[in-house]
Amino acid sequence: MLDRLQKILSRYGIASRREAEQMILAGRVQVNGIKIIELGTRADPSSDRIAVDGKILAIAAPKFIYLLLHKPLGIVCTCDDPQGRKTVIDILPPQYQHLYPVGRLDYHSSGALILTNDGEFANQMMHPRHHVPKTYSVWVRGIPSDRILNLWRTGVMLDGKITKPAIINVIENLLKVEQDCTHLQITISEGRNRQIRRIAEQLGHPVSKLHRLAIADIHLDQLRSGQYRLLTNQEVIMLKKQ
């Protein structure tokens, strides 16, 4: 399968993604005997001859890695950012910088995020027909009425399509001097773009804070912001069954 050359070098443990980019720019990498200096160049490790400093790489099948990260606020959920902002890849050590996020959490959200180098697993997790539940701790402005919450629970129109039912529990209502707010725990089984924030805005109770607590039955537990751990084999099997 064609992939960017720097990602291939990183995936197979030749160098970190950043280091691989520098190697390419320095003209140290060849594909089928041709020196490569463009970062966007793609290759297929199963059929192309990839060499570094003239030495052909003996490429074996990569070992799949599945990582749970507690994504901090103010971190972009991509491998690269054109605006130069820090990404989830940047906060991982070099041995995990070839992974890529499964789905996204937006810049102003925090919490549970899975990263992997298993493309088939990632595609299954993100495919619309696989409804993997995700649980969030959400603070919204104001105090939603029972009518509003029941509407949200049963489904609202978003992008011309009704959302799937959501589980919503009120954790706490706070009466503040400046503005009232409500703490909700929300579980959804679909992942439309910024779904919770857009629905909350549409219902008149914008989100002020959003934190993902769990993906299926995989919880952050004691992981602090920026920390990560490898998923167990049992957790990976459970997610695949989802």
Side-chain angles (χ1 to χ4, degrees):
M1 182 179 67
L2 287 174
D3 208 344
R4 292 195 176 191
L5 196 52
Q6 59 264 41
K7 291 181 65 176
I8 294 172
L9 295 179
S10 175
R11 182 186 309 143
Y12 290 96
I14 307 304
S16 72
R17 181 169 52 86
R18 302 291 189 195
E19 291 170 340
E21 290 175 353
Q22 295 304 313
M23 293 166 66
I24 294 169
L25 292 174
R28 297 173 55 193
V29 181
Q30 300 86 37
V31 176
N32 299 325
I34 300 174
K35 183 185 295 185
I36 304 298
I37 58 173
E38 296 289 339
L39 293 181
T41 301
R42 295 176 179 270
D44 185 344
S46 66
S47 59
D48 291 320
R49 291 183 297 107
I50 302 172
V52 175
D53 296 331
K55 183 178 180 180
I56 301 284
L57 304 182
I59 295 179
K63 177 183 177 182
F64 290 137
I65 297 172
Y66 309 88
L67 203 72
L68 176 67
L69 171 70
H70 184 159
K71 176 197 171 298
L73 291 170
I75 298 292
V76 183
C77 217
T78 58
C79 295
D80 296 287
D81 181 60
Q83 300 179 39
R85 295 172 295 181
K86 184 175 287 188
T87 73
V88 289
I89 303 303
D90 294 326
I91 65 175
L92 293 176
Q95 67 266 32
Y96 296 132
Q97 289 188 352
H98 63 292
L99 306 181
Y100 41 86
V102 179
R104 293 191 177 186
L105 275 174
D106 66 41
Y107 185 79
H108 298 291
S109 300
S110 62
L113 178 71
I114 292 175
L115 297 99
T116 187
N117 59 338
D118 185 343
E120 183 177 352
F121 169 82
N123 289 335
Q124 289 177 349
M125 285 283 291
M126 293 186 291
H127 197 284
R129 74 170 179 267
H130 297 136
H131 306 299
V132 180
K134 300 178 180 68
T135 302
Y136 299 82
S137 177
V138 183
W139 288 94
V140 299
R141 297 176 187 172
I143 300 178
S145 66
D146 289 340
R147 183 187 67 83
I148 289 292
L149 292 176
N150 287 332
L151 177 62
W152 197 341
R153 290 182 179 111
T154 55
V156 300
M157 187 66 69
L158 191 68
D159 297 330
K161 184 180 179 182
I162 296 292
T163 59
K164 294 187 178 300
I167 300 172
I168 302 178
N169 295 309
V170 177
I171 306 300
E172 186 178 23
N173 290 326
L174 290 180
L175 301 177
K176 302 172 66 177
V177 176
E178 295 181 359
Q179 189 175 37
D180 300 340
C181 60
T182 302
H183 183 194
L184 305 172
Q185 183 169 299
I186 302 176
T187 299
I188 59 175
S189 59
E190 58 183 340
R192 303 196 210 177
N193 183 39
R194 303 181 75 250
Q195 179 172 333
I196 291 177
R197 289 185 182 273
R198 292 165 64 203
I199 291 176
E201 181 82 28
Q202 183 174 309
L203 295 177
H205 297 278
V207 169
S208 57
K209 182 180 179 181
L210 188 148
H211 176 75
R212 186 189 284 162
L213 298 168
I215 299 171
D217 290 327
I218 299 174
H219 295 255
L220 285 173
D221 294 327
Q222 303 303 313
L223 281 184
R224 297 181 180 179
S225 180
Q227 291 184 331
Y228 60 89
R229 69 171 176 84
L230 293 172
L231 296 184
T232 66
N233 290 334
Q234 290 78 9
E235 288 173 328
V236 174
I237 291 172
M238 180 272 294
L239 286 172
K240 289 182 176 180
K241 287 181 178 179
Q242 291 282 339

